[in-house]
Amino acid sequence: MTQLPTHTEKKLGLVIDLDTCVGCHACVVSCKGWNTENYGAPLSDQDPYGADPTGTFLNRVHSYEVQPDQGVAQLIHFPKSCLHCDDAPCVTVCPTGASYKRVEDGIVLVNESDCIGCGLCAWACPYGAREMDADQGVMKKCTLCVDRIYNENLPEEDRQPACVRTCPSNARHFGDLADSESDVSKLVAERGGIDLMPEQGTKPVNKYLPPRPKDTWDQIDILAPLLDPVAEEPKGFLGWLDKTLEKL
Amino acid sequence: MLQKQPVLETSPHVSNEVRQTTCYMCACRCGINVHLKDGKVAYIEGNRDHPVNRGVLCAKGSAGIMQVNAPSRLRAPLKRVGPRGSGEFEEITWDEALGIATDWLAPIREAAPEKLAFFTGRDQSQSFTSFWAQGFGTPNYAAHGGFCSVNMAAAGIYTMGGAFWEFGQPDWERTKLFMLFGVAEDHDSNPIKMGLGRLKERGAKVIGVNPIRTGYNAIADEWLGITPGTDGLLILALIHELLKAGKIDLDYLAHRTNAPVLLDDDGLFQRDGEGRPLVRDRTTGETVPFDAQKIIPDLRGADTVFTKLIERYLDPQYAPDAVAKRCGIPAQKIKLIAAELARVAFDEAIEIDQPWTDFRGHSYDKMIGRPVSFHSMRGISAHANGFQTCRALHVLQIILGSVEVPGGFRFKPPYPKPATAHPKPHCRVTPGQPLDGPHLGFVHGPEDLCLNDDGTPARIDKAFTWENPMSAHGLMHMVISNAHAGDPYQIDTLFLYMANMSWNSSMNSAGVMDMLTDTDENGDYVIPHIIYSDAYSSEMVAYADLILPDTTYLERHDCISLLDRPICEADAVADAIRWPVIEPDRNVRGFQSVLVDLGARLKLPGFVNEDGSAKYKDYADYMTHHIRRPGIGPLAGWREGGDSRGDANPNQIDRYIENGGFWMEHIPDEALYYKPWNKAYQDWAVAKGFYDSVQPYIFQLYVEPMRKFQRAADGHGTRQPPDHLRDQIRQKMDPLPIWYDVNEEDQQGSDEFSIHALTQRPMAMYHSWGTQNAWLRQIHGRNPMYIPTKLWEANGFNTGDWARVTSPHGSITVPVAHMAALNDHTIWTWNAIGKRKGAWALDKDAPEATQGFLLNHIIHELLPPKGDGLRWSNSDPITGQAAWFDLKVKIEKVDAPAEAQPEFPPQKSPVGQGPDKLTWKVGK
Amino acid sequence: MHPAPSIILFTVLSGLGFGLLFWLGLGFPPVTGFSAFAFFTIAYLLAIGGLISSTFHLGNPQRALKAFTQWQTSWLSREAWLSVFALTFMGLYAIGAVFFATRIAPLGWIGSALALATVYATSMIYGQLKTVPRWNHPTTPALFLLLSVSGGALLAGQVTYAIGLLALSGVLQAVVWYLGDQRFAERGTTMETATGLGNIGQVTAFEPPHTGTNYLLKEMVHVVGRKHSRKLRIISLALMVVLPVLLLLLPFSHALAAVAVLSHLAGVLASRWLFFAEAEHVVGLYYGIR
Ligand SMILES: Nc1nc2c(c(=O)[nH]1)N[C@H]1C(S)=C(S)[C@@H](COP(=O)(O)OP(=O)(O)OC[C@H]3O[C@@H](n4cnc5c(=O)[nH]c(N)nc54)[C@H](O)[C@@H]3O)O[C@H]1N2
Ligand SMILES: Nc1nc2c(c(=O)[nH]1)N[C@H]1C(S)=C(S)[C@@H](COP(=O)(O)OP(=O)(O)OC[C@H]3O[C@@H](n4cnc5c(=O)[nH]c(N)nc54)[C@H](O)[C@@H]3O)O[C@H]1N2
Ligand code: SF4
Ligand code: SF4
Ligand code: SF4
Ligand code: SF4
Ligand code: SF4
Ligand SMILES: [Mo]
């Protein structure tokens, strides 16, 4: 099974809007909550009240500063979870077959009962999308909430990943990226969605929508007619007022 | 060869039961679905039907499960056995605890009720706690608003009859240009994020005005990295440009504001015999009351407010070129913003086909919208010039005609409600009797101040005195300091609820710890008794003599009432409850229920029946049966005989639970906008019980009560300020917004202390509460001081370095980190990450205690001494708002100490320490 | 990468063990009987000891057998199979040599080939990883193999071969370091490609997603100071190659040979420590650490 399917019927994945993400970590914690209670072993925490707390998370939000050649620096919040790559190196390195990519929807999963916890898949992933659970010794990764998106115990509208459902600013979108007519595919087309580390050849399914151009007003010329003075001082202004009110 | 994929259970059971209640991981009050498995909390998600969050949930909300299970939860009432501050306690029974409290409080009430100071933090039951305090008879009650954002609230209410805060919101669906001043997170956490998301979806533009570019400001299309404390100047420059270009909504100014109101020679309104302000009718030229039917008020004339306003703001001192340097924003950029505001407001105006009628009887067939909107919070309000800055912002909104119109800023019921329709403050004490009225309110002149007959302050926090006349929310940050100094008088019992006053919610935390433990010549504590209610083992717990342990938010009844801070939306009126979705597993009680019990033991009016028996069993009983005014109780939904007005319904709470924990009713279409002037809205508001008769009003560009204080300072009237405050009142209480430099005059912003130091709220942490949360503390377990590039290079900092940060008051030694998207003269850190050793059931070597730090140690509640022997509070001279963000410092690189400085000895944990591993999964 | 002792031991010891087996399989030295028993025991102890040590790195060693299933794609799985094959063939060959004083040469050749293949598979576990540019190069298996056969020659007492091979591995090691130092930059994975934000400007990490550490940082982000690394490289080369060669050039004595072996072992351990510690995983870019 560590062979990759040559073709998946769907390519389910996330589209993350870097123009909209405010870096609130809501998706991080809802993911932690859902996946602690659901799929596989709980996401454990070591030394949770101590000097060096660590734990397993499947989704983390970085932040970067970007300094353009001209003008002020920008700050970009950057959520990152498994990108469910088409050419997933994490799958092919797995010696046990625990890691696999689903034929029907392309979700990359770890079958925990087969995982020996060798860590090789995490080494093979360029994105840091896999974390070994220190308590159970099995590899953890984003499941694309496979236990939500088809879950008949959930109302239809809730059959989406926990992180998407919770994102307050609607910066996360879920759908089938194989279907060019899907909302996510259209978003990617419209906003020029990109791959992370394309040179790694992983062909990620998840896409990132780049931030829109910022601080562009520094470049435009003043919208002159809009601010043509009607008067420079109070007297003149009151004269203008007289005239204007007559017209009203 | 592909092997067979494992068979997956894609439809696992999510829970056995979902209980819907209201989140309280912060004060935003989102609706939550609590999934339970065998009675244990398995997963928390947002409630899709809830008006506040419509299904989304923030990081804190989702982490509620770790709060409800936190090892820091208090387990039983505690009596102090060691010295204050040590954290040594013994567990006692509730009977004993309530007995002690009654023994302390009953004699005070009989002799001198003001000797009780009862102050609460961000609790959501202020209409209840104030009712209790009023019954007790002490004037010394307030919640945290005074140190939080009273400038925002008071400026909004005095100007427009409603504020940003959580009492209003941009018309997210329609606005095309949104300008955000000084907000990192706000109380309206999820709604702001949802709103920004809506704007981004439509590609609408966002302008962020903030010295720091994180969070909301990071996604702003245009960022103005303003120098702290200068927003007022920037806003007045925008007003200047718009006036100069005639890009103002004259029609709106004439009909909706007091711009046409006539002033007399004293700068007071000309009024008719019934006290109604006068305007000139443009059609007849006659002088008529402002609300006369069918008139068209005239803006012109030497005596109108409008003329005064023009004269003030056309002055070249407000030209962009004159303010640019000070604000740290190029003049060209200021002009561009003004132009863009004008373009969107007037060239992209929107119209809704919705007829409506105003209070003067004019009917309109359309609603005209100016789709520019604004929001702001503590970044402009937590400065000593914050009230005037917030006022300036409202004036800007108003001249653009963008308040309560489509695409602009909208109020949430029960707002708008003019300052005059709010109560005035009350402070008349009669031993053994209730106070003469509600504690807090809005003054309209010197006659409303809370002064004793001899002119001394009636309140321990000196609210509503000449030092800060319009202190509508009290001054919680001055209570301990004043009580310790015995200024204006000594108290006996300090009763605090849900406020970490020995740590992150005080200025000068180390000083506060000293004040709380200081003894008199007899060896008795200067503040004799301290009672505190907390749910967790916070820093403050160690300083109390008696602890009344509260439940967590999933274990109790709460009432988010229209009588204080409800959950309404601009389109709908709504309120909500919390209810025990799980039972406490400890010997703790909901604090409100404890107050109900104490009220009965103390026989407070409203808490006992005529025969002296307890009136309410517990808080749930109070929520259901308390009647505030005829037909009005704490909850508006499902009252007997109809919603919002009617008799108590014994099954009311059940109805709330069935409905997901909230009640909501939509505002009729014709009442959706123009609420202050819209007849349909006014009638609806009366029907709903927000007020008892219609009260249309006009916006107060010119705030007359402020002029009354100025006149008193000029020697008019029977109540006049003491001489040392006359100048301050004269200068600061300008009825038209002004800007003054707080640093130059107040904080000794000499060359030595030339750097602004700020804090911001991290979105994933709520003050000190978040730290006990095993998930959240992994995200923010320590806080560096962020340094802008210029200062970083000038000081030769490198990654991993430390710095000493010094203010006129003291210094801290802390780790630094570089940030480029930051105002050149500003450093900052996350708020309230630093923790005291021993608190929150954490290891004493927790990074929060060894590397995390508070800025509070170098912010003082008093200004540096001016040599006049007086204690000048570090507050806005108008409202008493704590001026957290006026802090100026210097920095220097130092060798890394073993721990962030200052260090404090550990307090003993009354609850032990948390486990060393978590594999939390309640289902099998 | 985190230089985990279990993995360093595994690769070094099993490399040495299979290296020795390689020589024994080819009949260098052509031992039988008790001396064959001694040689094979050493080789097996090293090879199996290394393999066992590698299981300490596993989160769930009790399921280790499952690692045999994915030989079609996984080098780790292939390594498992190859090591079993190598040990089996060599075992049969050893039985012949020890108990029947017969060396069945073809068995030995196959065994030797399998031993080399095992070392190759081990090296490819690392060499295949695009995410670690320093490793992702043909010189990785080349050096693993060369070190394995040099160490094997040393253990097998093949002085002449050993001298030549050691010298060769010294050269290759130097080349590997030299080329490896540049490869991360050559591959072009940067914070800009990692974030896709390069078209706006220069990217730096602001806040990490968490103030504490995590598995990724502990496992994959390990920074060695340049000075420290230079020192270690010199020590490693001296112990691994220079000293053993010098010792071998001296008139032969068992004591000197033993010192040469120990020195080489220490040198290879140091080299392998550097192999891991200096290897930068591209994920570090997300944390602004390179
Ligand atoms: N430097 C700096 N300091 C600041 C600010 C700043 O911007 N910068 N901001 C200021 C502002 S605006 C505010 S509002 C204050 C906030 O400061 P605080 O109001 O002190 O905020 P918290 O730390 O949340 O403390 C509230 C206490 O309530 C307790 N608590 C939590 N839940 C419950 C409950 O259910 N029941 C009971 N009884 N107790 C509970 C917590 O354990 C904690 O001890 O901080 C102020 N301090
Ligand atoms: N997650 C989370 N949410 C919270 C809280 C929390 O602790 N955590 N606390 C709640 C409470 S009690 C409150 S009061 C609210 C407060 O919510 P906010 O008003 O967002 O408060 P702060 O985080 O203090 O942010 C103040 C912002 O003002 C900026 N600022 C400071 N000085 C100036 C200035 O002079 N001009 C301008 N333009 N900007 C300036 C700072 O950079 C910062 O971004 O948040 C509430 N919501
Ligand atoms: S992101 Fe990493 S873990 Fe996910 S499929 Fe791609 S390589 Fe595998
Ligand atoms: S850690 Fe588990 S999933 Fe990953 S490669 Fe090893 S066996 Fe496969
Ligand atoms: S899809 Fe599910 S598992 Fe993946 S990051 Fe989102 S919440 Fe976590
Ligand atoms: S929840 Fe949404 S806005 Fe918040 S960090 Fe995640 S993606 Fe960004
Ligand atoms: S904003 Fe977050 S913490 Fe606050 S009430 Fe809403 S979900 Fe709870
Ligand atoms: Mo606050």
Side-chain angles (χ1 to χ4, degrees), chain B residues 786-825:
Chain B
Y786 286 104
I787 314 275
T789 310
K790 260 195 188 159
L791 294 173
W792 184 261
E793 286 168 0
N795 285 279
F797 284 126
N798 282 306
T799 312
D801 279 348
W802 288 60
R804 184 181 302 122
V805 180
T806 307
S807 77
H809 169 61
S811 67
I812 53 178
T813 304
V814 300
V816 294
H818 172 240
M819 181 180 192
L822 176 58
N823 173 284
D824 281 346
H825 312 287

Side-chain angles (χ1 to χ4, degrees), chain A residues 21-27 61 79 167-169 171-172:
Chain A
C21 172
V22 295
C24 68
H25 296 267
C27 50
V61 180
C167 174
S169 50
R172 307 175 74 86

Side-chain angles (χ1 to χ4, degrees), chain C residues 40-61:
Chain C
F40 280 107
T41 307
I42 293 172
Y44 270 81
L45 280 178
L46 288 169
I48 295 177
L51 292 174
I52 288 174
S53 151
S54 77
T55 63
F56 290 124
H57 188 65
L58 300 182
N60 280 289

